[in-house]
Amino acid sequence: MTRVYNFSAGPAMLPEAVLEQARDEMLDWQGTGMSVMEMSHRGKAFMSIAEQAEADLRELMGIPDSYRVLFLQGGASTQFAMVPLNLTAGGATVDYINTGAWSKKAIAEAKRFCNVNIAGSSEAQNFTTVPAQDSLQLSTDAAYVHYTPNETIGGVEFPYVPDTGEVPLVADMSSTILSRPVEVERFGVIYAGAQKNIGPAGLTLVIVRDDLIGKARGGTPTMLDYKVHADNGSMYNTPPTYAWYLAGLVFQWLKRNGGLAAMAEVNRRKAEKLYAAIDGSDFYSNPVDPACRSWMNVPFVLANPGLDASFLQEAEARGLTTLKGHRSVGGMRASIYNAMPEAGVDALIEFMADFERRHG
């Protein structure tokens, strides 16, 4: 069997060591005689897995005791509704910063429940940059400010954390969580789908400050109330147990590899060398403002789009897969999350140079 370098934006690569451990524990987890996916979520064995995973995540991210960590279902898309349902009353105003496809989806959902003020937008620049902090038009009475630190599709990333004063800051960190250290205290809510840097699809992490829990508006469905999940240890219903277990293995892998500071150095290096290869060529280009380029998702286009199909076919033959760009952007996109080894980025750069020599 030959493993490929999978540049998918999600579901994405998982660390090979994690997959090997899961394989070894598949039929018998630590002498229990059963697989984790067969365990009762309320049994002693799984409870120990869940508690360890949360403890490791808290250590990795430096999550204060004043925040709750929820392991939920529904993806980040469900959080587009859960955030306004839990943080606002009817008629409230909320601020959103629009920097791309996922921001727009969050905005559209929030408009079902709140008065949405677009505090900043880079749509006029075709989402190739982000609004500067001093250009944000924040409301005086906003219940919260929402932004997407990294837009997976456009490959645009905030180089700063917005300063919102006393107003809770909400972040969809699906593409950047665990890729570098973050000051959790600067946020009211952090949420992230798992299928990029955390684990397999089916799990969603929510980190929410205590004072923002218990304020869901009347009529909020039980499963969309943060307090219900917080009070029940994320086990009001049967959680995605196997995805939770695999996320815990990823957290342990991160700790063994030096934590988020060490991961940040590797991720910075991977991104810098790939952007350098693109910028050093007349054959490839990246449209994003260099100050706002994502570490995690690197889109690029070929000077001759007629070569796109050949590029993808030849890359696949080299074991470099899932490089086709999103349909709304075109070209290519290399997602280089934590589990993408530096050797994978090196292999992509080598192939790009070879393809340019032969087709440029």
Side-chain angles (χ1 to χ4, degrees), residues 168-186:
L169 179 61
V170 178
D172 175 2
M173 286 195 186
S174 295
S175 294
T176 55
I177 195 167
L178 301 178
S179 67
R180 70 206 77 183
V182 60
E183 294 179 69
V184 174
E185 296 93 334
R186 298 190 65 176

Side-chain angles (χ1 to χ4, degrees), residues 5 26 74 79-80 83 123-124 165 189 195 267 315 327 329 349:
Y5 291 120
M26 175 61 74
Q79 294 305 310
F80 297 164
V83 167
E123 190 162 13
V189 179
Q195 65 273 15
N267 286 329
R327 60 186 177 277
V329 177
I349 292 170

Side-chain angles (χ1 to χ4, degrees), residues 92-96 107 110-112 114-118:
T93 295
V94 293
D95 286 345
Y96 276 69
I107 289 166
K111 284 181 176 179
R112 297 165 59 90
C114 304
N115 300 314
V116 175
N117 170 55
I118 305 302

Side-chain angles (χ1 to χ4, degrees), residues 162-337:
D163 182 357
T164 59
E166 297 301 313
V167 178
L169 179 61
V170 178
D172 175 2
M173 286 195 186
S174 295
S175 294
T176 55
I177 195 167
L178 301 178
S179 67
R180 70 206 77 183
V182 60
E183 294 179 69
V184 174
E185 296 93 334
R186 298 190 65 176
F187 300 86
V189 179
I190 293 170
Y191 65 89
Q195 65 273 15
K196 303 173 188 296
N197 263 338
I198 299 169
L203 176 70
T204 306
L205 278 181
V206 178
I207 302 167
V208 54
R209 204 171 64 212
D210 283 341
D211 65 294
L212 300 177
I213 296 174
K215 300 180 179 179
R217 62 174 63 189
T220 297
T222 300
M223 287 298 294
L224 300 184
D225 188 336
Y226 287 147
K227 188 175 190 303
V228 170
H229 296 292
D231 288 349
N232 289 276
S234 302
M235 294 187 187
Y236 178 80
N237 70 327
T238 305
T241 53
Y242 201 72
W244 194 335
Y245 154 73
L246 284 170
L249 297 188
V250 170
F251 302 156
Q252 292 170 13
W253 174 79
L254 287 167
K255 288 174 62 177
R256 290 196 302 271
N257 283 277
L260 301 192
M263 195 56 57
E265 289 305 309
V266 175
N267 286 329
R268 180 185 293 109
R269 192 164 61 241
K270 289 190 301 186
E272 286 179 349
K273 64 170 62 176
L274 182 51
Y275 285 119
I278 294 167
D279 292 342
S281 164
D282 294 326
F283 191 82
Y284 305 102
S285 62
N286 170 277
V288 179
D289 175 356
C292 303
R293 285 175 166 177
S294 169
W295 285 6
M296 300 283 97
N297 312 103
V298 182
F300 59 95
V301 297
L302 279 62
N304 178 4
L307 290 171
D308 284 3
S310 295
F311 181 96
L312 290 168
Q313 183 178 15
E314 292 187 26
E316 186 91 20
R318 297 272 192 102
L320 308 168
T321 70
T322 330
L323 281 162
K324 186 175 182 179
H326 190 271
R327 60 186 177 277
S328 65
V329 177
M332 310 299 158
R333 175 179 54 181
S335 292
I336 51 176
Y337 301 118

